[in-house]
Amino acid sequence: MKLTTPPRNKKLAKTDLFVFLVRKGVDLVIPGEIKIPALAKESFSGKTREMRLTDATKGPAKRVLLVGIGNGELDKEILRRCGALIAKNAEKMGVNLITVGHDLDGEANAMGLGQALTEGLIMGSYRLQHFKSKNKKISLERIRLVCEGEFKKGVLRGFVLGEANCLARRLQDTPANRMRPCDLVKEARAISASSDQVKLKVFDEKAMGRMKMGSLLSVSRGSQEPAYLIHLAYRPKTKSRSKVCFVGKGLTFDAGGISLKPSAKMHEMKYDMSGGAAVLGAMAAVAQLKPKVEVHVLVPASENLPDGKANKPGDLVTAMNGLTIEILNTDAEGRLILADALVYAERAIKPNSMIDLATLTGAVVVGLGHEYSGAMGNDATLMEALVAAGKCCGELVWPLPIHPQHEKDMKGSVGDLQNISGPATGAGSSTGGAFLKNFVGDIPWVHLDIAGSAWGAADRDYQGGASGTGVGVRLLLEYLESF
Ligand code: BES
Ligand code: ZN
Ligand code: ZN
């Protein structure tokens, strides 16, 4: 998508469709000498989500779409959703260029509103179209958004976040035979090529063997596709005292391994790399927004399949930090690949805080549904920061406990740990978190279980339905704002 931001005082250029946001109860004055039939104007109330399409009778626009945004306190979510409605309608009408006008530059939270509207415009125009043999083309390619001041600052940020969200969703939605671990490496390479401040390191299986990542490598042994550990590092131009690390589960397909999953919804397991997609999307945004903090992104990338060399229930592996793990269920593989990535982060990167995102457990879907990510960790301040960031950007986070009993339940009888707890424990998401806690050392850390929020969310215009949500990208960037 191309976005331009002409200033208010500039004469409006010709446009297929002029979209105007209308507050309820405010006299409707369309700018740029655009005239529409009196009836269209009179019968439009401006209540939230009301829409009216009409031909223009005069001025630089062919048609005009009025969009109501209500009269209450303007909420970012309303604008995000209105932005998406606009994009969807423009696409349906087959227009290539829209111009969006409003009178929100002077609002108290102009920056937040500009950001939300633009996120909605970009996220609402997301489509996975290029695998179709026909009608591949997406008609809406250009948005002109008239704005200035703080609102414009928000628009520019919203554009980057919207595009990064769409990047994450494209990675998620791409079928697993087209988004293998090696394809994630290619995507990471493209992100690093987009900025001289983002450097890429890729560890192949040999290199991971040298680092003694026995836990991660045991998972990829069951597949023909080689595993990789992707490490992207962004460094600000002026040296920063803080360093954060985002780790994303990059399981490009999870069949369960020898503990094979039932076939009913197995195709959804192409989404098991959603954590990886989120952190790569976040790095794509970081490369553009250039925050003042050092940001590292890790993606352990692998498949989990039942091949001849696959893990067998009862097998014992040794992680990079020397802990031995008895694999009682080969389908609890996310924690096995994350374990080594977290140890690598703790030892090689030594961040001030660390957040992992993973589609780790079906249990989090049962507990929290699709509108929340479940959060567990070892640091109350970091947890609070993430919950607050979630409220601010609309990607909600709900804390779950790691009780000492959960940690006990993950102790092994043969090895130090086992990768699942006994059947009587319950708390499937918390025990997953309890397992990971063994690999983060003393680093303040939060684990986000995004198995519910990464796809399957209710329709919110800009996301939801049968595609990935790109959850995590906007949340992580909001968290970085606290530095
Ligand atoms: N990728 C799955 C988690 C998952 C399941 C995400 C369903 C979304 C929907 C993960 O690797 C897994 O299989 N976890 C097991 C853990 C169990 C064996 C302790 C699960 O949740 O069933
Ligand atoms: Zn699994
Ligand atoms: Zn999995």
Side-chain angles (χ1 to χ4, degrees):
M1 185 71 73
K2 285 217 169 66
L3 175 86
T4 51
T5 53
R8 218 160 255 294
N9 57 12
K10 204 173 149 204
K11 194 165 176 279
L12 265 187
K14 279 199 178 149
T15 184
D16 293 338
L17 181 69
F18 183 75
V19 183
F20 194 56
L21 304 186
V22 185
R23 308 262 345 217
K24 191 171 174 220
V26 174
D27 240 3
L28 174 52
V29 185
I30 301 176
E33 291 158 18
I34 297 171
K35 296 278 180 279
I36 60 171
L39 188 65
K41 223 165 152 176
E42 279 158 24
S43 58
F44 191 79
S45 79
K47 69 171 194 283
T48 312
R49 300 173 72 85
E50 183 183 358
M51 285 196 285
R52 173 72 39 82
L53 178 67
T54 172
D55 286 336
T57 51
K58 195 176 165 243
K62 280 192 198 143
R63 283 182 286 182
V64 171
L65 178 68
L66 303 176
V67 180
I69 52 173
N71 65 352
E73 198 188 314
L74 266 183
D75 162 278
K76 287 191 283 187
E77 183 68 8
I78 291 179
L79 278 196
R80 203 175 284 118
R81 292 186 64 152
C82 282
L85 278 182
I86 294 167
K88 291 211 156 121
N89 276 279
E91 180 66 34
K92 242 191 254 159
M93 291 162 60
V95 296
N96 175 261
L97 162 71
I98 62 172
T99 305
V100 183
H102 57 88
D103 49 17
L104 302 172
D105 291 328
E107 291 286 325
N109 181 21
M111 180 163 169
L113 296 178
Q115 180 182 328
L117 175 66
T118 314
E119 285 172 0
L121 283 164
I122 304 300
M123 290 165 72
S125 57
Y126 170 79
R127 242 150 232 94
L128 189 72
Q129 201 67 14
H130 53 275
F131 292 124
K132 306 274 187 202
S133 61
K134 296 191 186 77
N135 302 327
K136 288 176 171 223
K137 206 165 140 23
I138 291 164
S139 71
L140 181 63
E141 288 177 320
R142 289 182 295 158
I143 299 175
R144 242 186 242 144
L145 181 45
V146 181
C147 59
E148 48 201 31
E150 288 296 300
F151 194 92
K152 179 171 167 180
K153 275 192 207 159
V155 167
L156 297 177
R157 184 176 163 82
F159 179 68
V160 172
L161 291 182
E163 292 270 298
N165 170 277
C166 292
L167 165 68
R169 276 153 88 183
R170 177 176 58 77
L171 304 188
Q172 285 186 287
D173 290 339
T174 299
N177 62 335
R178 306 288 179 98
M179 193 49 69
R180 301 157 295 172
C182 59
D183 297 306
L184 285 177
V185 170
K186 267 188 223 154
E187 298 286 343
R189 192 157 285 134
I191 293 167
S192 121
S194 75
S195 161
D196 60 357
Q197 285 170 266
V198 179
K199 296 277 174 268
L200 171 69
K201 270 192 217 159
V202 179
F203 300 97
D204 62 10
E205 291 189 340
K206 237 174 155 181
M208 290 191 279
R210 281 195 295 271
M211 292 192 287
K212 305 221 172 329
M213 296 187 165
S215 184
L216 191 161
L217 288 169
S218 78
V219 175
S220 64
R221 244 198 335 266
S223 145
Q224 297 286 316
E225 290 295 334
Y228 295 95
L229 176 65
I230 298 166
H231 176 186
L232 285 166
Y234 159 83
R235 289 188 179 80
K237 288 257 151 87
T238 47
K239 201 169 158 39
S240 143
R241 260 179 296 150
S242 322
K243 204 192 280 186
V244 303
C245 181
F246 303 145
V247 185
K249 172 177 172 182
L251 225 297
T252 59
F253 192 77
D254 180 12
I258 298 296
S259 315
L260 195 65
K261 284 185 182 295
S263 54
K265 285 189 173 182
M266 202 202 271
H267 63 279
E268 291 189 353
M269 283 300 126
K270 70 173 182 182
Y271 285 130
D272 214 18
M273 38 60 74
S274 297
V279 300
L280 290 177
M283 186 53 104
V286 162
Q288 302 294 316
L289 295 171
K290 305 188 195 306
K292 292 197 174 77
V293 50
E294 190 171 318
V295 183
H296 293 257
V297 152
L298 293 176
V299 183
S302 172
E303 287 186 337
N304 185 28
L305 294 183
D307 201 2
K309 291 206 161 119
N311 280 324
K312 301 173 292 295
D315 280 359
L316 188 91
V317 298
T318 306
M320 185 179 171
N321 65 352
L323 288 176
T324 56
I325 306 162
E326 190 184 359
I327 300 173
L328 293 179
N329 187 321
T330 67
D331 196 11
E333 85 300 333
R335 56 199 77 185
L336 296 177
I337 66 168
L338 284 169
D340 282 330
L342 290 170
V343 174
Y344 171 83
E346 187 236 329
R347 299 199 172 163
I349 302 173
K350 301 185 175 60
N352 303 92
S353 66
M354 181 147 82
I355 301 164
D356 79 74
L357 293 88
T359 47
L360 208 76
T361 67
V364 85
V365 194
V366 178
L368 296 179
H370 295 284
E371 311 304 322
Y372 285 93
S373 302
M376 291 135 266
N378 60 7
D379 186 89
T381 314
L382 182 59
M383 179 67 81
E384 275 167 31
L386 281 167
V387 171
K391 280 188 186 146
C392 186
C393 73
E395 293 190 341
L396 300 175
V397 170
W398 198 262
L400 296 172
I402 298 178
H403 191 278
Q405 187 59 44
H406 299 147
E407 298 185 57
K408 255 193 210 155
D409 289 331
M410 300 310 287
K411 298 273 181 246
S413 51
V414 174
D416 301 323
L417 297 168
Q418 50 193 34
N419 77 332
I420 60 166
S421 61
T425 310
S429 304
S430 290
T431 51
F435 178 88
L436 293 177
K437 198 173 167 207
N438 292 285
F439 302 93
V440 300
D442 295 329
I443 311 253
W445 151 83
V446 163
H447 155 61
L448 294 171
D449 194 332
I450 59 169
S453 53
W455 76 97
D459 184 15
R460 285 198 210 167
D461 304 307
Y462 58 86
Q463 68 179 40
S467 110
T469 59
V471 74
V473 175
R474 294 187 304 112
L475 178 71
L476 293 176
L477 269 290
E478 190 60 49
Y479 166 67
L480 288 179
E481 280 294 280
S482 61
F483 285 83

